[in-house]
Amino acid sequence: MRLRTSSLLGAALLSLLAAATVASPADASPAAAPSSFAAQVRAAGFSAAQARQLQGAMDRDLATLGGRQVAANRIITADRSTITYPLPGEKYAHVLGDGLNGNDPRTPLVLCSYGAFCGWPGYNYSGTGFTHASCGDLYEIPDNFKTGGSWINNQTHNYTTTFWGKGNVYLSISHAAYFREPHANWYPVWYISNNC
């Protein structure tokens, strides 16, 4: 009986550790007030004006896409996608306090978790990044994805993503996962859907 109990406890511990690595602590915790997030940005050495500018970008996307703010520079949209914003003066998005360098070109590769399709408005994965892992639904891309851009298809099982234009007009389909496109064109794209 003792061996079985310890095996069950070991399995439960492994499951708990696996679950902890999938979502970041910021995503799992209840949303704090935007003023506390602004205080975190200021405590990290950014000015009040920079904190307001960052918060304004998130507020605009929340007004359009719905959802909630879960970190000083990250929101989860109503459809459970994440949008992470670059910190002031940084080129690549990452969560404040995660230890990553927002000016290191390897940083966006960490942001695009396994099982997701990720996009950025700038070439070479720069700017605000979104991560979308849901299957079959239409995901409305953020408004600042106007032209240029880049994306990574990091879904499982060689899945693809379909790009849709205004009025749900089919545009194209991505290469199967894993695939990176450092020089894309978001201009005609209004929605994506993961084919998984």
Side-chain angles (χ1 to χ4, degrees), residues 108 111-113 116-120 125 129-132 145 150-154 186 192:
L111 179 69
C112 191
S113 57
F117 179 92
C118 306
W120 294 265
Y125 321 107
F130 75 79
T131 302
H132 184 69
F145 284 59
S150 47
W151 53 265
I152 297 175
N153 181 1
N154 196 16
W186 287 111
I192 62 162

Side-chain angles (χ1 to χ4, degrees), residues 39-181:
Q40 291 172 13
V41 173
R42 287 192 308 275
F46 299 105
S47 70
Q50 290 171 316
R52 279 192 306 275
Q53 182 179 11
L54 178 62
Q55 188 64 49
M58 288 184 286
D59 290 344
R60 282 188 297 280
D61 283 341
L62 284 169
T64 303
L65 304 170
R68 63 189 171 92
Q69 186 173 348
V70 295
N73 63 323
R74 176 178 273 182
I75 64 173
I76 295 180
T77 62
D79 69 355
R80 297 176 313 282
S81 297
T82 61
I83 301 177
T84 308
Y85 301 79
L87 294 166
E90 295 186 347
K91 185 174 183 177
Y92 305 104
H94 67 97
V95 177
L96 177 65
D98 63 8
L100 296 173
N101 178 346
N103 290 311
D104 183 335
R106 296 171 295 181
T107 294
L109 304 180
V110 176
L111 179 69
C112 191
S113 57
Y114 181 65
F117 179 92
C118 306
W120 294 265
Y123 293 133
N124 298 311
Y125 321 107
S126 62
T128 299
F130 75 79
T131 302
H132 184 69
S134 298
C135 298
D137 61 343
L138 284 179
Y139 170 69
E140 181 180 356
I141 63 169
D143 285 341
N144 64 330
F145 284 59
K146 303 221 185 285
T147 186
S150 47
W151 53 265
I152 297 175
N153 181 1
N154 196 16
Q155 297 180 80
T156 60
H157 307 304
N158 297 317
Y159 290 136
T160 59
T161 295
T162 302
F163 301 95
W164 303 91
K166 186 176 182 178
N168 301 336
V169 173
Y170 170 83
L171 297 173
S172 65
I173 196 163
S174 73
H175 292 281
Y178 178 84
F179 189 82
R180 296 189 296 187
E181 179 54 67

Side-chain angles (χ1 to χ4, degrees), residues 3-47:
L3 181 59
R4 185 174 190 183
T5 303
S6 62
S7 296
L8 289 173
L9 286 174
L13 181 59
L14 285 175
S15 296
L16 185 61
L17 287 172
T21 60
V22 171
S24 76
D27 295 343
S29 63
S35 61
S36 69
F37 292 131
Q40 291 172 13
V41 173
R42 287 192 308 275
F46 299 105
S47 70

